[in-house]
C-alpha cells in the first residue's frame, strides 16, 4: 500500500496587501499544539479546521508557533474565534436553555506578552475579535494560545498586520481567497488516477477499499481524521452492531470479520479507547498493496462532467495542503452523503424527528477529592431528572453512574444535522457539564470522581440519504419484499432513537436524552444492490448510513457490520464496472449474474 505522506507546510504565511504585510497563522498548523485538539467536523460550514481546548474543566497545555517580521513596526492582531455558548444568550431563548458567562476563554501571548483582550468572549458566530496592537521588532517571534478554562475554547486563525485599517474578511468566500493568497492552503497537487476513490474511513469505507483492492482495483481511501474507524474508533467509541455471513451468500461479511475487536465495552469505564484497535485497522490497509491511504484529508470539492464525478479535491486538516484525486468510480462512505451532495446527487433528509448525535463521556474514581467548577453557562439541571442522578428509577436507573454519558445522551433530533452540527455538538457539551456540575455541586455526590474522557468528535446516526434506483422502506423489510438484487443481509431490528419524554420538559426542540424504539421483522432481510448507487450521478456508489433508504428503514441498516458488508459489495460492483466498462446501474441491468457470483465467492482473505 502506498501511504501518502504530506509535506508539513511552514506554519506562517505572509501576503502583501498594498505596501503593508499580513501574516496569517492557521492554528491547526502550529508547530506545537500542546493540549489543544484539531476539530475539522464543521469546516464546510465555518471554513476551516480549528483548535479546541477540550480539557474537561482543566486548562490544556499551551499551543505555540513562531512567525517572522521583516520590518519593525506597530502591528495589529485579529483572532478568529467565537463565544460558543453565545447562541443561548440571544433574545427568545427559553429560561431552561439560557447560558451566562464565557466557558471558552483564552489569552494570546506574543514573546511572553499577553494581549489585552480575553478571547472567546465576543460574538456567538465565528468572527475576528480584535487583539489590539503590539510593537514588534524585525526577526522571529513566538506566539502562544493559553487556555484559561479547559471548557472548549476555540481558535481558528490569527491575523497580524501593520495596516491599521485592515480587517480580515468574515465571508467564507473571501476567507478562502485570503488563505490561498497567503498560502495557508496550498496549490492543488494532482495525486493521479484511481479505479475507485473511497471517501470516508469508517467501517463501510474500509470494507469498500479492501474489497476493491483485493479484486485488483487501484484504490484511494480518503479519511478526514488521523485514525480510521469513524464511529467505531477510539475517538467516538461505538461498538459494532449487526451480524454477518448469512445464506445464500455466507461469505458476505468476511472482510468485516477481519475488523472484529477482541473486546467490547458498553457503559462508563467499560468503554475503553484501546478496545477499538485503531492501529489494527490502519495496519490492515497498509498491508493492501493496491490502496493509497490519505489520512487527515477532508474532501470538500468535486469536479463534475456530464453527471459523472471526475475528481475529488481534499484539504489536509493540519497543513492546509490541497490535493486532487481523479477516479473512474467513487464511493461516498462519509455517512453524511457529503460527496454526493457536493456533486449534485439527489438525496433526502428528514428535517424534524431524525436521529441525533452523541458525544460519549465517562468518569473515574480517584483517591483524592476532585472539585469541579460551577458551570453557569451549562444546562441548569438542578431541578431536573437525568439518567445517573440520585435515586432516579427511570428506565436507565439500574445503571447508576454508568448511565452518565452513554449512547442515550443524544441530541439534535429537530436540528439540521449538517448546518447546525456545531450547535448540536455544543449542546451535548452543555448537557454533560451541566449534569456533572449538578451531581458534584448540588447533590454533593461522587467527591472523588472526575471526568475521565469525553468525545469531542460526535458520533452521528442520521443526516443525508442519497437516492438510488430503489429507496428501501421499512414496509419492504417488514413484508419481506424480495428483490432479485438483494445483496446485503440485515439483522438489526428497526432501531430509531427518539427524544425521551421524561427528560424533555423545558428543553423542547433540544432534548438530550433518547430512547430506542424497536420493531422486529424476519431476519435476515436482503438490501437490494440498487440502494448502493446514485440514481443521477452515474459513477457514484455509497455504503453506510447514507444509502438509499427511508428514515424508518435507516433504523435497520445503519449499524456498522451491515455498513461494512455494503462496502464489500461496492468493491465487487466497482470491479465489474472497470472490467465491463459500464456504470453501476448497468451492473444491475446487464451483469447481475456476475455480481451474484462475486457475492457467492466473497472477498479473498489475507
Amino acid at each position: 500500500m502506498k501511504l501518502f505522506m504530506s509535506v508539513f507546510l511552514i506554519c506562517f504565511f505572509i501576503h502583501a496587501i498594498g505596501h503593508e504585510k499580513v501574516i496569517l497563522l492557521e492554528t491547526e498548523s502550529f508547530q506545537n499544539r500542546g493540549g489543544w485538539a484539531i476539530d475539522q467536523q464543521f469546516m464546510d460550514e465555518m471554513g476551516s479546521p480549528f483548535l479546541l481546548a477540550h480539557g474537561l474543566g482543566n486548562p490544556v497545555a499551551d499551543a505555540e508557533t513562531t512567525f517572522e517580521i521583516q520590518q519593525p513596526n506597530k502591528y495589529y492582531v485579529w483572532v478568529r474565534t467565537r463565544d460558543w455558548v453565545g447562541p443561548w444568550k440571544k433574545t427568545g431563548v427559553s429560561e431552561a436553555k439560557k447560558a451566562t458567562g464565557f466557558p471558552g476563554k483564552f489569552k494570546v501571548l506574543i514573546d511572553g506578552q499577553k494581549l489585552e483582550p480575553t478571547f472567546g468572549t465576543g460574538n456567538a458566530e465565528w468572527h475576528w475579535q480584535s487583539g489590539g496592537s503590539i510593537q514588534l521588532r524585525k526577526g522571529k517571534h513566538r506566539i502562544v494560545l493559553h487556555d484559561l478554562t479547559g471548557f472548549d475554547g476555540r481558535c481558528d486563525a490569527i491575523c497580524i498586520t501593520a495596516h491599521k485599517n485592515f480587517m480580515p474578511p468574515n465571508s467564507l468566500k473571501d476567507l478562502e481567497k485570503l488563505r490561498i493568497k497567503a498560502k495557508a492552503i496550498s496549490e492543488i497537487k494532482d495525486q493521479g488516477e484511481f479505479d475507485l476513490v473511497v471517501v470516508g474511513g469508517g467501517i463501510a469505507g474500509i470494507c469498500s477499499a479492501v474489497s476493491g483492492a483485493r479484486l485488483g482495483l487501484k484504490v484511494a481511501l480518503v479519511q478526514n481524521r488521523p485514525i480510521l474507524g469513524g464511529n467505531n474508533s477510539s475517538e467516538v467509541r461505538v461498538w459494532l452492531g449487526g451480524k454477518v455471513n448469512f445464506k445464500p451468500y455466507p461469505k458476505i461479511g468476511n472482510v468485516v470479520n477481519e475488523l472484529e475487536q477482541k473486546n467490547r465495552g458498553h457503559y462508563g469505564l467499560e468503554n475503553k479507547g484501546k478496545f477499538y484497535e485503531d492501529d489494527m485497522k490502519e495496519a490492515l490497509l497498509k498491508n493492501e498493496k493496491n490502496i493509497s491511504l490519505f489520512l487527515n484529508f477532508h474532501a470538500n470539492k468535486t469536479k463534475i462532467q456530464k453527471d459523472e464525478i471526475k475528481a475529488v479535491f481534499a484539504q489536509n486538516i493540519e497543513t492546509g495542503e490541497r490535493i486532487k484525486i481523479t477516479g473512474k468510480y467513487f464511493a461516498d462512505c462519509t455517512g453524511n452523503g457529503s460527496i454526493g451532495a457536493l456533486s449534485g446527487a439527489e438525496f433526502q433528509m428528514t428535517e424534524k424527528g431524525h436521529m441525533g448525535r452523541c458525544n460519549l463521556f465517562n468518569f473515574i474514581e480517584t483517591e483524592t477529592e476532585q472539585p469541579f467548577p460551577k458551570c453557569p453557562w451549562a444546562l441548569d439541571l438542578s431541578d431536573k431528572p437525568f439518567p445517573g442522578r440520585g435515586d432516579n428509577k427511570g428506565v436507565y436507573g439500574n445503571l447508576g453512574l454508568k448511565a452518565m454519558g452513554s449512547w442515550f445522551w443524544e441530541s439534535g433530533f429537530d436540528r439540521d444535522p449538517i448546518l447546525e452540527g456545531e450547535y448540536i455538538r455544543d449542546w451535548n457539551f452543555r448537557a454533560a457539564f451541566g449534569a456533572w456540575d449538578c451531581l458534584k455541586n448540588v447533590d454533593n455526590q461522587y467527591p472523588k470522581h472526575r471526568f475521565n474522557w469525553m468525545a469531542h468528535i460526535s458520533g452521528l446516526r442520521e443526516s443525508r440519504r442519497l437516492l438510488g434506483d430503489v429507496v428501501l422502506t421499512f414496509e419492504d423489510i417488514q413484508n419481506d419484499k424480495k428483490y432479485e438484487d438483494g445483496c446485503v443481509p440485515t439483522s438489526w431490528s428497526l432501531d430509531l432513537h427518539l427524544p425521551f419524554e421524561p427528560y424533555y420538559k423545558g428543553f423542547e426542540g433540544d432534548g438530550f436524552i433518547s430512547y430506542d424504539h424497536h420493531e422486529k421483522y424476519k431476519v435476515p432481510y436482503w438490501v437490494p444492490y440498487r440502494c448502493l448507487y446514485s440514481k443521477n450521478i452515474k459513477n457514484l456508489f455509497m455504503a453506510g448510513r447514507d444509502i438509499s433508504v427511508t428514515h424508518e428503514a435507516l433504523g435497520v441498516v445503519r449499524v456498522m457490520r451491515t455498513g461494512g458488508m455494503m462496502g464489500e459489495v461496492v468493491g465487487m460492483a466497482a470491479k465489474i464496472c472497470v472490467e465491463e466498462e459500464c456504470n453501476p446501474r448497468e451492473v444491475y441491468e446487464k451483469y447481475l449474474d456476475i455480481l451474484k457470483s462475486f457475492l457467492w465467492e466473497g472477498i479473498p482473505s489475507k
Side-chain angles (χ1 to χ4, degrees), residues 486-506:
C487 59
V488 175
T490 69
S491 55
W492 200 257
S493 65
L494 178 141
D495 177 6
L496 293 176
H497 289 204
L498 305 169
F500 201 4
E501 194 65 30
Y503 308 106
Y504 203 47
K505 187 175 181 181

Side-chain angles (χ1 to χ4, degrees), residues 29 79 114 154 157 165 176 232 270 272 310 325 340 363 366 377 393 433-434 442 503 526 532 576 578 595-596:
S29 297
V79 177
K114 286 184 180 179
R154 50 205 73 180
N165 296 321
E176 183 179 22
N232 184 245
E270 298 170 1
K272 300 180 186 298
K310 295 301 181 181
I325 304 174
F363 306 95
T366 70
W377 44 266
K393 301 301 182 185
F433 291 129
V442 176
Y503 308 106
W526 291 84
L532 304 183
I576 297 170
V578 170
L595 178 60
K596 288 182 177 181

Side-chain angles (χ1 to χ4, degrees), residues 41 231 236 336 356-358 417-418 458-463 545:
Q41 297 169 94
N231 282 351
V236 183
N336 286 331
R357 67 168 76 199
C358 287
I418 307 296
S458 295
L460 279 76
R461 290 185 174 88
E462 182 175 0
S463 53
R545 61 180 179 83

Side-chain angles (χ1 to χ4, degrees), residues 13 28 117 134 197 216-217 232 248 252 259 299 328 336 361 394 420 432 436 442 444 448 453 480 488 555 586:
F13 311 93
E28 64 270 18
I134 186 171
V197 180
L217 301 184
N232 184 245
I252 296 299
L259 298 170
K328 297 175 182 175
N336 286 331
F361 57 93
E420 296 182 279
W436 194 233
V442 176
N444 296 313
K448 294 183 179 180
W453 170 81
D480 199 26
V488 175
E586 290 172 321

Side-chain angles (χ1 to χ4, degrees), residues 308-560:
E308 289 188 346
I309 304 173
K310 295 301 181 181
V312 296
F313 300 85
Q315 178 180 325
N316 191 288
I317 66 170
E318 294 183 354
T319 69
E321 187 167 7
R322 295 189 298 168
I323 59 174
K324 174 185 177 182
I325 304 174
T326 304
K328 297 175 182 175
Y329 302 93
F330 295 81
D332 189 329
C333 303
T334 63
N336 286 331
S338 301
I339 299 305
L342 287 168
S343 305
E346 294 183 29
F347 67 86
Q348 291 179 344
M349 189 163 66
T350 301
E351 294 184 5
K352 302 285 185 180
H354 54 76
M355 290 178 281
R357 67 168 76 199
C358 287
N359 290 84
L360 305 182
F361 57 93
N362 58 48
F363 306 95
I364 192 169
E365 186 173 13
T366 70
E367 295 181 355
T368 59
E369 296 280 329
Q370 298 290 326
F372 186 73
K374 293 184 178 180
C375 303
W377 44 266
L379 298 188
D380 181 1
L381 301 178
S382 57
D383 62 345
K384 301 285 194 302
F386 54 84
R389 186 178 194 189
D391 60 354
N392 171 43
K393 301 301 182 185
V395 69
Y396 306 125
N398 62 324
L399 292 172
L401 190 60
K402 289 181 180 180
M404 292 283 287
S406 295
W407 60 265
F408 39 81
W409 288 72
E410 174 183 359
S411 74
F413 308 101
D414 296 326
R415 298 282 174 181
D416 188 306
I418 307 296
L419 299 180
E420 296 182 279
E422 193 173 1
Y423 176 105
I424 300 167
R425 193 277 304 274
D426 291 345
W427 181 261
N428 285 345
F429 283 173
R430 291 189 70 209
F433 291 129
W436 194 233
D437 180 7
C438 179
L439 289 180
K440 295 282 277 188
N441 300 318
V442 176
D443 296 351
N444 296 313
Q445 291 187 313
Y446 308 112
K448 294 183 179 180
H449 283 72
R450 61 170 175 80
F451 268 106
N452 175 60
W453 170 81
M454 182 195 293
H456 73 278
I457 302 294
S458 295
L460 279 76
R461 290 185 174 88
E462 182 175 0
S463 53
R464 301 185 188 99
R465 304 183 302 278
L466 304 177
L467 298 184
D469 284 341
V470 170
V471 180
L472 186 69
T473 70
F474 183 62
E475 288 74 22
D476 292 340
I477 298 171
Q478 208 166 33
N479 295 332
D480 199 26
K481 181 176 181 179
K482 297 292 192 297
Y483 288 93
E484 63 176 336
D485 55 334
C487 59
V488 175
T490 69
S491 55
W492 200 257
S493 65
L494 178 141
D495 177 6
L496 293 176
H497 289 204
L498 305 169
F500 201 4
E501 194 65 30
Y503 308 106
Y504 203 47
K505 187 175 181 181
F507 303 112
E508 288 78 9
D510 277 313
F512 59 89
I513 301 295
S514 70
Y515 73 95
D516 48 339
H517 168 80
H518 286 268
E519 292 185 36
K520 295 185 177 181
Y521 59 91
K522 182 182 177 183
V523 171
Y525 182 81
W526 291 84
V527 176
Y529 163 71
R530 283 169 288 172
C531 294
L532 304 183
Y533 62 83
S534 169
K535 66 183 293 186
N536 68 305
I537 301 299
K538 294 178 181 177
N539 61 341
L540 178 62
F541 293 101
M542 52 267 194
R545 61 180 179 83
D546 59 3
I547 69 164
S548 183
V549 295
T550 63
H551 162 70
E552 290 77 15
L554 182 65
V556 174
V557 306
R558 65 184 175 83
V559 292
M560 284 181 278

Side-chain angles (χ1 to χ4, degrees), residues 157-171:
I158 300 172
C159 188
I160 302 171
T161 176
H163 199 308
K164 183 177 181 180
N165 296 321
F166 174 79
M167 181 178 177
N170 273 314
S171 79

